[in-house]
Amino acid sequence: MPETRQGTCVPTGFRLSCAAAAAPWAPPAARLFILALAQRAHVCKSRVWCLHTEGGLTCLSRALTSWLLLPLFQLNQLEEAADAAHTFFMANPEHMEMQQDIENYKTMTGKVHLVDREAKPHMENYSTGVRHYDQEEYALAIESLERALRGYYTADVECRVMCEGPQRFEEYEYLEYKADLYEAIADHYMQILLCQHECVRELATRPGRLSPIENYLPLHYDYLQFAYYRVGEYVKALECAKSYLLFHPDDEAVLENADYYNSLLEETMDPETIKPREVRINVLRLPCTALQLKLCFGSCQIAASTELSPSTVTDFEERVPSGVNSELADGPALSLGKKPAPKMDRELREGGSLLYSDVQFVYNSQQLNGTQRVLLDNVISEEECQELRRVANGIMLAGDGYRGKSSPHTPNEKFEGATVLKALKFGYEGRVPLKSARLFYDVSEKARRIVESYFRLNSTLYFSYTHMVCRTALPGQQEKRNDLSHPIHADNCLLDPEASECWKEPPAYTFRDYSALLYMNTDFEGGEFIFTEMDAKTVTASIKPKCGRMISFSSGGENPHGVKAVTKGQRCAVALWFTLDPLYRELERIQADEVIAMLDQEHLGASDLNINPKDEL
């Protein structure tokens, strides 16, 4: 019987069954590639693979499908390859090469509708139901949401069952730890309970996301209670309202709805006979029975390995797991009305002074078909644009600002960048004119002041990141391009076009509040800046860059945006992101401020003594 690197024996047959479960839709010949990996598999929960690598235990799921592309292509299984690429892309929407592969597969196969082979049926049904609900198609919404509920509870049972079995207590792996009987029982049972607890999070998390949908399961009942009311099924409306109240008994809006449904039914039946559905209330708590808790408590007390008290057990029973908020999250909040549109967390204002007489107002939010948007011209002059271009040529480095990747968003363009601090450093060393390097600093500060004033912010706007960036079309790679220079995204949240949501969670820069782009040239082709709807497809505004033009907007999901392909020449701009939180001030900007203060002090000293500062270096 083979052993894993850590010495845990796992039957080969079990490993091979994991491979079949991970990609049951792939043809046998293509699965041979996967079976080689399965020989090193440690555990298989649902469709997640855990492989022993040099870095330790690495768990894979959707990433696996990207490895299927080559064998599927070589076997001429192009439709399956297209589905595999689509499955990977659903959780990695920033992977532009995969997007281009998908378009190539579509062209070769003529296949338009791709299948996500790792989709969670209950999540897809939920998203479909919400879309129908928003479109006031209540009968269709009911059908999808009821199907989503059934699928959720089935997946919940399957997920918890998969937690039953051998467990590893990773906290003790760095010690030569050998548990006695009671310690082993406690360790094993706690691992099972933690695994089952995470099922709540796993089932409520969209592909590629780190955090679950808040209030996920209760929202089904909230949507259903109003949808049933709108189709005239008051009994089911009351039933779903009472089911929702099991999760949130103090929700005033749904309490009012339930009272109203009671009044509609009083003349024909006794509303008290209508009971809530048999919802699984233990999804609100750590999923363990009283007996399980006593076993854990007893074994830990005997082993004295973990400090648990009766109050701890009570805490476990009252604990609300991640992904199910104890307070009402953004949901229908109906009170016999439709779900309101999401609101920003601050008062929206605009139309403040532009501060500089030469700056020209072009369009406001309404004219740009959005929220918190402004387009300005003449923010900098033609001479300043040319000077900045010369600075760019002297300081820019390929991949700067993109973790060293010279083509971070598309293989058809090269990206180069530089920060303010780097410009000042080069200026101080004499590698570029110091006056020109300081211009970069000054125009970014000018832009910050304009944004702060125009949007009439009550607090200081700080730099979060300042970056001069040029993107250059690569010769010989511009024919039949169907990609973007920068994919549609939002600046402080993870855009989810299918759900029409933007998730404000890492790895997004959630602290960013406003963004601005100051353009330096117009001698290129393509490269238009575009705003879209949340679907990332419907363009609401298109802006052609030119010297001195600046577009500024709030950084949230209300402003999805991107850049069309640059097909000829080089497009340069100063990209600016701002925050209202001083804790997230740009460190390099603070250092740049110190350099400027030092240079000003040297200038003053040199003026008094009539000495050139360079003579002192």
Side-chain angles (χ1 to χ4, degrees), residues 139-161:
L140 293 174
I142 289 169
E143 181 181 346
S144 295
L145 289 168
E146 291 285 15
R147 193 161 52 242
L149 272 176
R150 292 192 296 271
Y152 177 89
Y153 284 126
T154 299
D156 179 65
V157 171
E158 292 174 352
C159 182
R160 292 167 191 268
V161 166

Side-chain angles (χ1 to χ4, degrees), residues 311-507:
S311 62
T312 309
V313 176
T314 304
D315 291 340
F316 274 133
E317 291 179 335
E318 297 301 323
R319 180 179 175 183
V320 178
S322 55
V324 182
N325 201 337
S326 60
E327 297 191 9
L328 183 63
D330 290 339
L334 301 174
S335 189
L336 299 182
K338 277 185 64 63
K339 181 173 71 172
K343 296 182 178 179
M344 295 180 67
D345 54 3
R346 60 180 177 274
E347 184 182 358
L348 302 183
R349 298 188 299 175
E350 58 181 280
S353 170
L354 299 179
L355 300 179
Y356 301 90
S357 59
D358 50 346
V359 175
Q360 180 184 348
F361 170 83
V362 182
Y363 293 133
N364 60 18
S365 294
Q366 185 177 2
Q367 293 163 317
L368 290 169
N369 303 313
T371 302
Q372 294 279 276
R373 301 174 182 176
V374 65
L375 182 64
L376 306 172
D377 278 345
N378 299 331
V379 175
I380 56 177
S381 67
E382 185 69 38
E383 292 75 19
E384 289 172 322
C385 286
Q386 294 175 4
E387 190 65 27
L388 287 174
R389 288 292 300 277
R390 285 193 288 270
V391 172
N393 292 333
I395 67 174
M396 283 196 169
L397 182 67
D400 182 280
Y402 300 97
R403 298 176 183 173
K405 296 180 180 179
S406 60
S407 298
H409 304 304
T410 170
N412 303 309
E413 297 174 23
K414 181 177 72 171
F415 285 64
E416 300 169 284
T419 61
V420 168
L421 186 62
K422 182 178 180 180
L424 291 174
K425 180 176 181 291
F426 275 40
Y428 195 79
E429 294 172 351
R431 297 161 72 177
V432 297
L434 183 57
K435 182 180 178 181
S436 301
R438 177 155 186 168
L439 178 63
F440 181 12
Y441 177 92
D442 290 338
V443 298
S444 57
E445 173 60 22
K446 181 179 182 179
R448 185 200 67 81
R449 293 190 63 205
I450 292 172
V451 173
E452 183 181 80
S453 175
Y454 178 81
F455 289 113
R456 301 167 64 191
L457 303 177
N458 293 325
S459 56
T460 303
L461 197 61
Y462 301 96
F463 287 97
S464 168
Y465 188 50
T466 311
H467 196 228
M468 183 184 291
V469 59
C470 291
R471 55 193 81 196
T472 307
L474 295 177
Q477 296 182 210
Q478 303 307 314
E479 290 187 11
K480 297 181 180 180
R481 278 190 66 179
N482 53 17
D483 62 344
L484 296 175
S485 177
H486 198 143
I488 303 300
H489 64 285
D491 285 343
N492 72 7
C493 53
L494 303 173
L495 188 63
D496 188 345
E498 289 197 356
S500 292
E501 295 278 1
C502 203
W503 310 102
K504 202 166 183 178
E505 62 186 45

Side-chain angles (χ1 to χ4, degrees), residues 180-198:
D180 62 23
L181 174 63
Y182 293 108
E183 290 172 331
I185 291 172
D187 291 349
H188 172 75
Y189 225 105
M190 287 304 297
Q191 289 293 91
I192 290 177
L193 295 179
L194 290 171
C195 174
Q196 292 181 338
H197 171 60
E198 282 304 306

Side-chain angles (χ1 to χ4, degrees), residues 126-185:
Y126 171 79
S127 298
T128 301
V130 172
R131 280 197 296 272
H132 286 310
Y133 178 92
D134 288 337
Q135 296 167 6
E136 300 187 358
E137 299 169 345
Y138 295 110
L140 293 174
I142 289 169
E143 181 181 346
S144 295
L145 289 168
E146 291 285 15
R147 193 161 52 242
L149 272 176
R150 292 192 296 271
Y152 177 89
Y153 284 126
T154 299
D156 179 65
V157 171
E158 292 174 352
C159 182
R160 292 167 191 268
V161 166
M162 292 303 295
C163 291
E164 301 287 346
Q167 300 288 332
R168 299 169 62 210
F169 207 74
E170 296 178 358
E171 285 79 359
Y172 292 151
E173 287 187 354
Y174 66 97
L175 299 173
E176 293 183 1
Y177 172 75
K178 293 184 179 180
D180 62 23
L181 174 63
Y182 293 108
E183 290 172 331
I185 291 172

